[in-house]
Amino acid sequence: MKYDSISGIAGKYSAKILYDESIAEYTSFRIGGRCDVIVMPNSAECIAELVSECRKSRIRYYIFGKCTNVLISGEGLRGVVILIDGDYSSVRRDGNDLICDAGASLAKICNEARKESLSGLEFAYGIPGSAGGALYMNAGAYGGEMKDVVSWCDYLDESGEVKRMNAEDMMLSYRHSAFTGSDKVILSVCFRLTPGDENKIAELMNETMKKRRDKQPLEYPSAGSTFKRPDGYFAAKLIEDSGLKGYTVGGAQVSEKHSGFVINKGNASFDDVIKITEDIKEKVFADSGVMLEREILIVE
Ligand SMILES: Cc1cc2nc3c(=O)[nH]c(=O)nc-3n(C[C@H](O)[C@H](O)[C@H](O)COP(=O)(O)OP(=O)(O)OC[C@H]3O[C@@H](n4cnc5c(N)ncnc54)[C@H](O)[C@@H]3O)c2cc1C
């Protein structure tokens, strides 16, 4: 069978593997169809072997973390989905550094930083992604971004070799990194933090979380901010000014709580989200002359 070799690798490492499984429940948008194979690696070696086998056998593969910034096709994905998530997520302290497997959630990393009285990651508390996904996206919020705290990462390069990259070579800018659109796979991320006070760190994290709960439609599935922040503008304000708050296409809606979020009100399809984002772009451009660019990544 086409995926025997992938099953063999999953078996060798005792990694979870699913066949013909809907990916929707693994995504924050709760959208996405059945995928041929979803495998959840539990070590860097397992990731390396899976990727190497896919490359060698010309099997299409996809790398995801916690799937909180992606919109995946309702047709699902043909090939192998490698979900680098909770099964590969250890976090360890080395001096003032936290060295994290790519699948460690930012929630886990932030909690670890707080417990260890290490400051720097307070801004990231509440971003629902993984270390790998956050670095890939240079995720940021409330005046901070990964660029401020990442020191180095280990990654699998295009030829399957494990290499280390220092932050200055990562080309980190707004929602962009050296990994964007590349075939590199992030294996681990080192965050360089500074000693702080546990209570103060906790206070800042709680404040950040409160702001999120107050302002963002966290009660609905979404992929966070739908559009990037255009230079000199706020996407949410432009969308609201165009009268699109609450605008609905099928099960997708411009959140009434925060116009920067397209939410899944229930049974939204991939096509609903594509259509609503196209409509938003068109109307906002007509009204303001600003062309919005999607922040969410479309995978089909
Ligand atoms: C409610 C909500 C709030 C959010 N708030 C914020 C916010 O404040 N700021 C912000 O920046 N984002 C925010 N996001 C978006 C999202 O959480 C971040 O972009 C996050 O960093 C994505 O991480 P992930 O693990 O989910 O990545 P995924 O969505 O799984 O993947 C994103 C991209 O990264 C790539 N990738 C993932 N892991 C790896 C890896 N190990 N190696 C190579 N490539 C990899 C994938 O191929 C994909 O292209 C929010 C999302 C939601 C749902």
Side-chain angles (χ1 to χ4, degrees):
M1 258 184 32
K2 186 174 176 191
Y3 299 114
D4 278 355
S5 55
I6 299 297
S7 311
I9 296 167
K12 174 177 162 190
Y13 289 96
S14 304
K16 254 179 248 150
I17 184 161
L18 305 162
Y19 304 93
D20 192 27
E21 177 84 8
S22 164
I23 196 158
E25 70 173 280
Y26 297 95
T27 73
S28 60
F29 233 147
R30 297 286 180 268
I31 295 173
R34 291 186 171 278
C35 298
D36 291 354
V37 178
I38 301 178
V39 55
M40 298 159 197
N42 48 18
S43 66
E45 294 72 25
C46 179
I47 296 171
E49 224 172 295
L50 287 166
V51 170
S52 152
E53 174 55 26
C54 289
R55 285 174 179 164
K56 192 181 84 196
S57 301
R58 297 183 178 278
I59 297 172
R60 189 148 187 211
Y61 67 96
Y62 303 82
I63 303 286
F64 298 120
K66 295 188 81 64
C67 296
T68 63
N69 203 55
V70 288
L71 173 65
I72 299 176
S73 167
E75 306 290 314
L77 300 171
R78 307 288 70 82
V80 176
V81 172
I82 301 175
L83 274 191
I84 304 179
D85 192 0
D87 291 346
Y88 178 55
S89 64
S90 77
V91 176
R92 69 179 173 85
R93 180 175 183 165
D94 180 10
N96 292 330
D97 292 349
L98 284 185
I99 299 167
C100 310
D101 290 342
S105 68
L106 288 178
K108 178 174 180 175
I109 298 166
C110 288
N111 281 326
E112 206 55 38
R114 176 184 49 74
K115 272 192 265 164
E116 295 290 331
S117 301
L118 290 172
S119 175
L121 272 166
E122 292 84 339
F123 74 89
Y125 194 57
I127 301 178
S130 64
L135 178 56
Y136 180 100
M137 295 297 301
N138 186 26
Y142 305 111
E145 55 183 347
M146 289 298 126
K147 187 180 179 192
D148 305 332
V149 281
V150 169
S151 170
W152 52 261
C153 78
D154 283 341
Y155 69 99
L156 205 58
D157 78 0
E158 291 78 352
S159 63
E161 251 183 84
V162 177
K163 292 202 171 137
R164 181 159 293 186
M165 193 187 290
N166 290 320
E168 54 271 26
D169 298 319
M170 291 180 190
M171 299 189 291
L172 294 165
S173 61
Y174 180 64
R175 303 299 172 264
H176 179 274
S177 71
F179 302 96
T180 311
S182 82
D183 264 346
K184 299 179 177 71
V185 182
I186 300 161
L187 298 173
S188 58
V189 182
C190 173
F191 295 98
R192 186 140 299 167
L193 305 172
T194 47
D197 174 73
E198 184 180 348
N199 292 329
K200 273 207 187 118
I201 294 168
E203 206 177 297
L204 268 173
M205 286 185 178
N206 292 338
E207 269 172 32
T208 305
M209 192 52 105
K210 183 171 177 340
K211 278 190 217 159
R212 283 182 183 274
R213 286 212 187 91
D214 289 348
K215 298 244 162 70
Q216 300 180 359
L218 301 184
E219 56 282 22
Y220 289 104
S222 79
S225 297
T226 314
F227 298 99
K228 291 185 182 173
R229 193 180 55 239
D231 261 351
Y233 299 91
F234 289 102
K237 171 91 170 57
L238 292 170
I239 295 167
E240 204 171 325
D241 289 350
S242 280
L244 290 169
K245 191 175 247 204
Y247 176 64
T248 301
V249 174
Q253 186 185 65
V254 175
S255 163
E256 312 228 16
K257 193 167 173 186
H258 189 314
S259 308
F261 282 59
V262 166
I263 55 172
N264 179 354
K265 283 279 274 190
N267 290 325
S269 67
F270 175 84
D271 292 341
D272 292 342
V273 179
I274 295 291
K275 170 86 170 71
I276 202 169
T277 54
E278 287 306 318
D279 289 355
I280 295 167
K281 281 168 72 173
E282 203 178 305
K283 179 84 166 69
V284 166
F285 185 67
D287 292 349
S288 66
V290 178
M291 183 53 83
L292 293 175
E293 190 191 335
R294 278 194 207 106
E295 179 169 327
I296 56 175
L297 304 169
I298 311 298
V299 189
E300 54 184 329

